[in-house]
Amino acid sequence: MRMSRHFGHTLREFPTEADTPSHALLLRGGFVDQLMAGVYSFLPLGNRVRLKIERIVREEMDRAGGQEVRLPALQPIELWEQSGRKAGMGDVLFQLRDRKERGLALGPTHEEVVTRLFKDHAQSYRDMPVTLYQIQTKFRDEARPRGGLVRVREFTMKDAYSFDLDDDGLDESYRAMFQAYRRIFARCGVPTLPVEADSGAIGGKGSQEFIFLTEHGEDTIVFCDACDYAANTEKAEFVRPPAVEGDPLAIEEVETPGITAIGDLTTFLGVEARQTAKAVFFMATPGQGAPFPIFAVVRGDLEANEVKLAAALGGAEMRAMTDAEVEAHGLVAGYASPIGAPEGVRVVADLSIPRSPNLVAGANREGWHLRNVNYERDWSAATVADIATAQAGHECARCGGALGLGRGIEMGHVFRLQQVYTAAMDVTVQGADGEAVRPTMGCYGLGVERVMSAAVESHHDEAGIAWPASIAPYDVIMVGIGLDRDEEARQDADALYEELQAAGLEVLFDDRDERPGVKFNDADLIGVPVRLTVSSRNHKAGVVEVKVRKGNAEAETVARAEVIAHVQAHRERLLSALNVDDVERLARNRPAERTDA
RNA sequence: CGGGGCGUAGCUCAGCCUGGCAGAGCGCUGCGUUUGGGACGCAGAGGCCCGCGGUUCAAAUCCGCGCGCCCCGACCA
């Protein structure tokens, strides 16, 4: 492409709406344009990057045995009612009506559609296992779009779905996808870490997220500094700090006027936070059925984790109780006690509670607490589970190392769905023995634009983007200088432009009538991996200057006849650096971005 | 949905407090000079000052109601 004909301009100043480097650079370089909150147009440069990422995703999906399909974005609402997710998705689901007033939805994901497709076309065990995938636009009416391309309302997602006869088969399909994901992120130059994750509203058991670590991330990740355990904080296991041991003592009431927070309580009574029990109230809404009140109890040195709590209750939707609800359920804010919790309120205790004797807890009476409350002797919970959040400094459950926290963005997520959807939509195939078998599913999502964003986030400098060679909009950029004053040099530049393309390279030729500084700066900003400088001066010397964008090494002077081989050698070297080992090492070795938030 | 910030030229912003001709820099167009890291001169084009209503002789400016965008939180397969 000749830049004089290229659509889209760079901006000299940073647009103010962007607050992350990736968003700012993509806007400034003319890759994307915002149409409204969470909705972007892709200009030619951005679109080329998107297509490159999609190509890598396709290659790896195909290599892993996936078959590409195309599923509709426009879907009948009944499908969502059938799976029971219409309510669970809530306002995130874009809904509309056709001219006949039929309810429709724009697909936020495609489990329902693909399960239906499978049901219509797979009849026996001979049709399995099978993994279907697609690269499609998804629509989600996010409560708050943010972070440029990170959380948007319309985006490109690769989603894959595996169908197996049993869980061993599912494990195999899952592993194949897991490996494909590692290869995809490595090839795209995006350092990601697989972490244990909650499976959330999508359902199923066992899932991992591929996390790109960045301070701008919206997820909190827990890492072990000794072993390779890493998990989303929504899921992370940890060893509770030890309790203050002692034989159970007699309960006593103690007056604590105006003392409702743990911090005040410990000061007032002269005890440690881990010698107290903290009560937090939630309303839980199960997939089917009415909301019910939850009385969650964690030790005072820990924080209750809503997502873990929801998981412990079988995937109910959780929200904090309003003050009115607290009162209506007979709970005394600040002084609630698990002993004699009101009728109908479900008590859920964290693992830390049963093993910690003589805790201070509320007395269910304004202005009073109880000392020496002991689990089992004095009260018990309907459920005891891991419902507390791991914090920096906690002990790793696997190896005893110290846990640290970091921020990250989810690039992809792989789930073992099992039979959640095949059961909801009553899918069976005929087994070898003639009996009906309920297939077990996996699903595997990946955000294309998020990968693009993360690639910029991890490959840029003060001058602009330095794209990984695999997904750069062009392989090489030719900067022409003074060509309009030297006809011979111009003809040679045109010839080189043709030769590079004939050699299979994607070339951007800056033939604009601009000053050299403008062209060099634009080349740095756009971030094409290899830059050639062709000028009157170089032409007379029979050379071309070659500069690699990444690392900003000095330009080399290369004989005109050897330029193409030289460019290809650089390209191959850059591509070979994008392997799983090297890129994952980068992901693991970024202490600067592990914040103890 | 709660809290905060902001809407003026393609971009970055001033003007608003204290009402009186709609501005600057960059970018864009033309001409000339220039030409190896964001040149210079001259001449231009470009605006529903987010929208609606109100106050006023007069509103970008004051008041009210909306809408939009960004950030924090809630939420987030």
Side-chain angles (χ1 to χ4, degrees):
Chain A
M1 169 59 75
R2 286 177 185 270
M3 224 147 150
S4 56
R5 306 297 315 149
H6 174 258
F7 180 76
H9 286 97
T10 56
L11 299 174
R12 189 171 293 201
E13 291 179 80
F14 277 101
T16 43
E17 70 187 40
D19 64 327
T20 60
S22 60
H23 190 201
L25 288 168
L26 289 170
L27 287 170
R28 192 152 93 87
F31 290 83
V32 299
D33 180 80
Q34 182 171 1
L35 180 62
M36 57 176 169
V39 178
Y40 287 82
S41 298
F42 284 72
L43 280 70
L45 280 180
N47 196 46
R48 290 181 75 94
V49 174
R50 220 194 80 234
L51 291 171
K52 292 268 179 90
I53 295 169
E54 288 185 8
R55 185 195 299 167
I56 289 172
V57 169
R58 260 191 194 97
E59 286 173 9
E60 294 301 335
M61 285 294 111
D62 291 345
R63 183 204 300 268
Q67 299 180 56
E68 185 167 8
V69 293
R70 179 71 170 184
L71 306 171
L74 201 56
Q75 307 170 1
I77 196 72
E78 292 84 7
L79 210 48
W80 291 84
E81 286 162 353
Q82 196 177 350
S83 71
R85 280 212 293 181
K86 187 185 166 198
M89 277 281 170
D91 294 336
V92 169
L93 193 63
F94 270 109
Q95 295 189 51
L96 62 158
R97 293 194 174 276
D98 69 12
R99 63 171 70 208
K100 290 181 289 192
E101 291 296 306
R102 180 180 187 182
L104 304 173
L106 294 176
T109 175
H110 282 74
E111 282 78 18
E112 282 81 356
V113 176
V114 79
T115 304
R116 165 72 177 279
L117 179 72
F118 179 84
K119 181 179 183 174
D120 289 349
H121 288 267
Q123 288 154 11
S124 89
Y125 73 98
R126 290 169 188 265
D127 293 322
M128 295 164 69
V130 65
T131 295
L132 303 176
Y133 78 92
Q134 66 162 350
I135 298 175
Q136 236 279 22
T137 305
K138 309 280 178 177
F139 300 88
R140 296 186 187 179
D141 196 356
E142 294 287 352
R144 180 155 91 84
R146 72 176 116 188
L149 298 180
V150 168
R151 183 159 293 280
V152 290
R153 300 195 292 173
E154 174 177 335
F155 61 100
T156 313
M157 175 168 154
K158 185 286 301 175
D159 49 325
Y161 307 90
S162 64
F163 295 85
D164 281 277
L165 286 166
D166 54 37
D167 282 346
D168 287 344
L170 168 57
D171 282 343
E172 200 168 314
S173 298
Y174 184 92
R175 271 194 296 274
M177 282 294 128
F178 185 85
Q179 293 305 326
Y181 271 49
R182 293 177 67 196
R183 293 180 54 90
I184 289 167
F185 294 122
R187 289 183 63 189
C188 291
V190 174
T192 62
L193 272 185
V195 310
E196 304 292 320
D198 175 66
S199 29
I202 202 163
K205 291 202 179 82
S207 82
Q208 286 162 294
E209 290 170 327
F210 286 82
I211 296 286
F212 169 70
L213 293 174
T214 163
E215 57 183 317
H216 307 294
E218 53 187 9
D219 289 308
T220 303
I221 308 300
V222 174
F223 302 90
C224 177
D225 69 356
C227 70
D228 59 6
Y229 181 70
N232 194 301
T233 192
E234 298 172 345
K235 179 79 177 179
E237 298 166 16
F238 65 102
V239 177
R240 271 67 181 160
V244 174
E245 297 296 343
D247 292 330
L249 304 173
I251 274 197
E252 52 184 81
E253 282 201 308
V254 50
E255 193 164 7
T256 52
I259 308 289
T260 58
I262 294 293
D264 298 337
L265 190 62
T266 55
T267 311
F268 187 78
L269 295 177
V271 297
E272 295 181 49
R274 63 190 170 126
Q275 293 174 286
T276 66
K278 185 192 291 186
V280 196
F281 313 123
F282 296 98
M283 290 302 293
T285 308
Q288 254 99 42
F292 58 94
I294 298 293
F295 185 137
V297 189
V298 298
R299 216 171 57 191
D301 57 328
L302 302 171
E303 295 293 332
N305 186 300
E306 265 183 60
V307 177
K308 284 184 170 182
L309 185 56
L313 295 169
E317 290 251 314
M318 305 294 301
R319 64 170 175 80
M321 224 184 248
T322 63
D323 292 347
E325 284 166 337
V326 170
E327 202 169 318
H329 288 107
L331 299 163
V332 188
Y335 297 97
S337 179
I339 301 178
E343 232 8 61
V345 176
R346 184 151 169 193
V347 180
V348 182
D350 181 59
L351 299 174
S352 55
I353 293 295
R355 60 184 75 152
S356 302
N358 300 324
L359 297 177
V360 175
N364 249 355
R365 170 148 84 105
E366 178 97 35
W368 291 80
H369 277 81
L370 297 175
R371 277 184 185 274
N372 304 325
V373 169
N374 284 273
Y375 188 78
E376 211 152 17
R377 184 191 72 180
D378 303 325
W379 66 285
S380 57
T383 307
V384 177
D386 173 7
I387 60 165
T389 304
Q391 293 162 17
H394 278 156
E395 194 178 309
C396 173
R398 302 279 166 89
C399 78
L403 297 177
L405 301 181
R407 300 281 285 178
I409 299 171
E410 179 184 355
M411 294 287 113
H413 202 156
V414 292
F415 296 83
R416 289 184 184 85
L417 283 180
Q418 298 181 304
Q419 296 168 335
V420 175
Y421 295 93
T422 48
M425 303 181 69
D426 192 24
V427 180
T428 57
V429 295
Q430 197 171 28
D433 57 3
E435 294 294 310
V437 178
R438 175 91 65 209
T440 184
M441 289 176 67
C443 83
Y444 318 93
L446 183 148
V448 173
E449 289 89 355
R450 282 190 177 184
V451 170
M452 180 167 164
S453 235
V456 177
E457 203 74 32
S458 53
H459 301 277
H460 72 273
D461 56 26
E462 323 72 54
I465 304 172
W467 288 107
S470 54
I471 62 172
Y474 289 91
D475 298 323
V476 53
I477 181 168
M478 290 173 60
V479 175
I481 292 175
L483 300 181
D484 51 341
R485 285 169 286 121
D486 185 336
E487 179 59 19
E488 262 189 51
R490 190 189 61 76
Q491 282 182 10
D492 188 42
D494 284 344
L496 180 58
Y497 176 54
E498 299 297 332
E499 290 165 29
L500 286 162
Q501 291 179 93
L505 293 162
E506 296 177 5
V507 191
L508 186 58
F509 180 12
D510 194 346
D511 61 338
R512 294 175 302 171
D513 179 21
E514 287 289 351
R515 298 178 63 83
V518 172
K519 297 189 181 190
F520 287 136
N521 281 313
D522 274 350
D524 288 346
L525 174 59
I526 290 169
V528 175
V530 178
R531 186 186 83 193
L532 305 181
T533 305
V534 292
S535 65
S536 176
R537 197 169 86 191
N538 286 339
H539 177 252
K540 288 189 175 65
V543 299
V544 170
E545 279 165 74
V546 182
K547 186 168 184 301
V548 175
R549 174 67 178 84
K550 203 168 207 34
N552 268 321
E554 286 292 299
E556 317 156 87
T557 303
V558 175
R560 169 65 174 84
E562 290 160 23
V563 172
I564 291 172
H566 207 81
V567 170
Q568 279 171 328
H570 273 308
R571 177 170 161 71
E572 273 159 37
R573 183 178 56 76
L574 291 168
L575 286 176
S576 71
L578 302 172
N579 62 71
V580 171
D581 287 348
D582 289 345
V583 176
E584 288 190 359
R585 191 171 306 126
L586 273 181
R588 291 202 161 275
N589 191 19
R590 315 179 91 202
E593 291 182 351
R594 292 193 184 184
T595 56
D596 290 340

